[in-house]
Amino acid sequence: MNSAGKPISGETYFFRDHGQFDLLFLRLLPELIKRRRDTKILRLWSAGCASGEEAYSLAMLVDSLLPERNDWNILIVGSDIDPTALAKARRGCYGRWSFRMVPPALQQRYFRLQGGEWALDERIRRMVGFRRLDLVAEPFPDAELRDMDLILCRNVFIYFDADTVATVANKLARALCEGGYLMTAHAELTGLHPKDMQSRLFSESVVYQRVAHMAAGAALPDVRPPPSPVALQRAPDQAPLLAASADALLATAREFADRGDYGLAEQTCQRALSIAPLAAAPYFLLAQLAQLGGDFERAGKLLDRTLYLDPGCVAATLELAALCERAANLPRAQTLRRAALDIIRSLPGDAAIAPYDITAAEMAQWLAQ
Ligand SMILES: C[S@@+](CC[C@H](N)C(=O)[O-])C[C@H]1O[C@@H](n2cnc3c(N)ncnc32)[C@H](O)[C@@H]1O
């Protein structure tokens, strides 16, 4: 039970939420590794890690992305309030249930069967350190939990009341370095704007990025792409009609979404659709917005519509797979991931796969795992 008397579950498994792990593997971790190429210091934290599967999943991704890392200083910390869960995490031995979302090839690569349990490869186990921490009652940042490049705090906020969610989100924000990312489970921080954080919308998930500390009244630093042709200052229905092509409106809608103005993003998308009703991309953005609002059923319908209009859209296929997985519709999730793989394999190996910063060959390798 937590302090509010809600029962706490340590439910977790490896690579929980493939969509978010795709995002980590394909975009966020490569970006962080690139950013840290000079210092070769990388700091990752799984906050509320339960029995460690999330922290070790991160370690496996780092191992895949940085196989030669002797000259790197990589910190991966898992923390939890529950000492029993942490003891299990430190052992690094798991039953079959922890692998319900792990492709057999990955399981074989990193685990070996030992006395009825799957024991994690010692190299990966040693990459992660665990410690007990009450995210609510204990102070942080501290000597270790500071300047993080990435914090995963997923399926933990559900145990807190609204005030506590805000307090913990702000503490986590302070434990990030500038430019560092906080990833929560879907919709856990909807409607909340942690201090000095900017939400960034990716097709798989929204994540929060720490921006430079702002003095009260200071202007928001502009970390966004250059403005699109439709002036952002105007409400969408005031944008000059003649200048408003569907593409320009969609670009504007994305910028609204990037800076957290989801209502304006939705309206602008609808305007784009009124000009180009058969365009797939506005439906895809609407699906992402629906997910942000926690309306997964509507998101699923919008993704179906996206794929009806653009059957070759890899991002929508993967996003729908993640939604099916979330709804425990595993057969459809697998069918969709296979479909994404088929689309990618039909492309030249060096083709860039939008919106990911990755080639078709690299993505095929990841999906095949
Ligand atoms: C459902 S598990 C989430 C595990 C993992 N993050 C995931 O998404 O699979 C929730 C974890 O949050 C931990 N937790 C709950 N309240 C906490 C607190 N105040 N401080 C630290 N951990 C807490 C619980 O002990 C539990 O292990």
Side-chain angles (χ1 to χ4, degrees), residues 8-9 11-12 16 48 50 54 80-81 133-135 154-155:
I8 291 182
S9 145
E11 163 80 356
T12 186
R16 180 178 197 172
E54 181 178 86
D80 203 278
I81 196 173
L133 178 81
D134 181 340
L135 291 166
R154 306 183 311 151
N155 305 296

Side-chain angles (χ1 to χ4, degrees), residues 149-161:
D149 293 296
L150 172 72
I151 301 176
L152 301 193
C153 187
R154 306 183 311 151
N155 305 296
V156 179
F157 288 104
I158 38 173
Y159 301 110
F160 304 155
D161 61 35

Side-chain angles (χ1 to χ4, degrees), residues 124-291:
I124 304 296
R125 196 179 72 81
R126 280 203 306 263
M127 286 173 73
V128 184
F130 291 97
R131 63 179 267 189
R132 189 182 174 283
L133 178 81
D134 181 340
L135 291 166
V136 180
E138 290 181 67
F140 64 86
D142 61 20
E144 182 182 42
L145 301 173
R146 59 169 173 82
D147 294 323
M148 290 289 163
D149 293 296
L150 172 72
I151 301 176
L152 301 193
C153 187
R154 306 183 311 151
N155 305 296
V156 179
F157 288 104
I158 38 173
Y159 301 110
F160 304 155
D161 61 35
D163 287 347
T164 312
V165 169
T167 307
V168 172
N170 284 324
K171 284 163 84 176
L172 290 170
R174 286 202 302 278
L176 284 169
C177 65
E178 212 176 296
Y181 289 109
L182 167 66
M183 177 183 274
T184 68
H186 295 284
E188 278 188 311
L189 297 187
T190 299
L192 201 82
H193 298 283
K195 202 163 165 332
D196 298 332
M197 298 285 268
Q198 189 167 52
S199 53
R200 285 193 56 189
L201 185 65
F202 293 95
S203 57
E204 302 84 354
S205 179
V206 69
V207 292
Y208 301 87
Q209 185 169 32
R210 170 94 187 250
V211 292
H213 175 69
M214 287 178 286
L220 203 71
D222 195 356
V223 296
R224 291 168 288 124
S228 63
V230 180
L232 270 178
Q233 292 81 352
R234 298 168 196 256
D237 55 356
Q238 296 169 324
L241 255 185
L242 287 175
S245 74
D247 284 350
L249 282 166
L250 184 61
T252 304
R254 283 207 185 98
E255 288 172 34
F256 280 133
D258 272 344
R259 63 185 211 189
D261 290 336
Y262 302 135
L264 284 180
E266 165 108 24
Q267 287 175 43
T268 314
C269 253
Q270 297 291 4
R271 279 200 68 209
L273 282 173
S274 68
I275 296 172
L278 296 183
Y283 284 110
F284 185 50
L285 183 52
L286 285 173
Q288 294 174 267
L289 293 168
Q291 284 201 67

